[in-house]
């Protein structure tokens, strides 16, 4: 019992550090608004991933490149990414991007910042791919609306869209023209 009391007393001495660090994480995490992208250093970093480790800020191009193999990660937007008018317009139409209220990041999606996932070639480009379509994928982290391009060449042995989804670990809701899928991990 004394040992537990000692541990609690030690934690109480440090609790403000824990609170400060959690609040730091909710904001720009020590970075200033308009800081350069953590990857390219050229464009301003406005986006960060909730599911990746750390609080690095990325530009749209870099975060899309970084998440080509992780299209179901959740993204947050910093205050200067959208003007208040554009943010308000997006919140009315997509309900994914909300106006920055000066206190926290708002959520967006990788699709909203330009990510298109190429299926059929493990993420590599396909010279015979279709125009991007929207898929709804149900995962343990939520319901995700993503943009994908299906392959239409013979390099993968089949051009069936449901097979390409299965190879991406997404269980298609239908065999013909699938637009909804479930991750294997949500099925397990």
């Amino acid at each position: 019992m004394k040992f537990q009391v000692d541990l609690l007393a030690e934690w109480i001495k440090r609790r403000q550090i824990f609170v400060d660090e959690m609040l730091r994480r909710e904001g720009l995490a020590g970075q200033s608004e308009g800081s350069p992208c953590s990857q390219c250093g050229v464009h301003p970093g406005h986006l960060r991933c909730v599911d990746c480790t750390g609080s690095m800020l990325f530009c749209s191009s870099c975060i899309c490149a970084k998440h080509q193999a992780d299209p179901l990660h959740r993204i947050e937007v910093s205050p200067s990414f959208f003007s208040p008018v554009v943010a308000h317009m997006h919140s009315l139409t997509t309900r994914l991007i909300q106006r920055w209220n000066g206190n926290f990041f708002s959520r967006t999606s990788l699709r909203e910042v330009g990510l298109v996932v190429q299926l059929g070639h493990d993420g590599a480009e396909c010279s015979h791919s279709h125009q991007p379509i929207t898929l709804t994928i149900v995962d343990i982290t939520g319901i995700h609306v993503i943009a994908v391009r299906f392959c239409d060449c013979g390099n993968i042995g089949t051009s069936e869209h449901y097979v390409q989804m299965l190879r991406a670990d997404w269980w298609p809701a239908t065999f013909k023209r699938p637009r909804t899928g479930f991750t294997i991990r949500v099925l397990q």
Side-chain angles (χ1 to χ4, degrees):
M1 180 71 166
K2 181 177 176 353
F3 179 70
Q4 291 174 340
V5 171
D6 291 342
L7 285 177
L8 182 58
E10 286 297 314
W11 184 84
I12 287 174
K13 288 183 205 176
R14 293 174 177 86
R15 71 180 167 201
Q16 191 58 49
I17 294 170
F18 282 84
V19 170
D20 291 345
E21 288 302 314
M22 294 306 294
L23 289 173
R24 180 180 180 272
R25 170 68 173 87
E26 289 296 316
L28 292 173
Q31 301 166 86
S32 60
E33 195 169 325
S35 292
C37 171
S38 297
Q39 189 163 331
C40 71
V42 176
H43 304 290
H46 301 289
L47 305 162
R48 73 175 179 195
C49 179
V50 176
D51 297 317
C52 289
T53 302
S55 298
M56 295 182 292
L57 296 175
F58 297 94
C59 66
S60 297
S61 297
C62 289
I63 205 160
C64 286
K66 181 176 172 53
H67 287 85
Q68 184 66 40
D70 294 311
L72 303 183
H73 277 197
R74 297 165 293 164
I75 305 301
E76 294 179 316
V77 183
S78 76
S80 59
F81 185 69
F82 293 102
S83 71
V85 173
V86 172
H88 182 66
M89 296 287 287
H90 276 280
S91 71
L92 292 175
T93 58
T94 66
R95 301 196 188 265
L96 291 174
I97 298 172
Q98 298 143 8
R99 177 183 278 180
W100 174 254
N101 69 10
N103 296 315
F104 58 87
F105 281 90
S106 61
R107 288 186 179 176
T108 188
S109 69
L110 286 162
R111 180 179 61 91
E112 287 289 322
V113 296
L115 179 66
V116 178
V117 178
Q118 176 66 58
L119 296 180
H121 293 274
D122 295 324
E125 289 297 318
C126 175
S127 59
H128 298 92
S129 64
H130 289 267
Q131 288 295 316
I133 64 155
T134 301
L135 284 183
T136 301
I137 302 294
V138 179
D139 185 43
I140 60 174
T141 60
I143 299 171
H144 303 269
V145 178
I146 61 172
V148 301
R149 281 192 191 98
F150 285 107
C151 166
D152 197 26
C153 71
N155 291 343
I156 63 166
T158 182
S159 60
E160 296 291 336
H161 295 182
Y162 74 91
V163 173
Q164 292 178 48
M165 288 178 66
L166 287 167
R167 291 179 181 177
D169 291 334
W170 301 334
W171 190 272
T174 184
F175 299 108
K176 296 187 181 217
R177 297 177 10 134
R179 297 297 182 263
T180 304
F182 303 88
T183 61
I184 300 301
R185 64 186 188 173
V186 82
L187 295 175
Q188 291 174 335

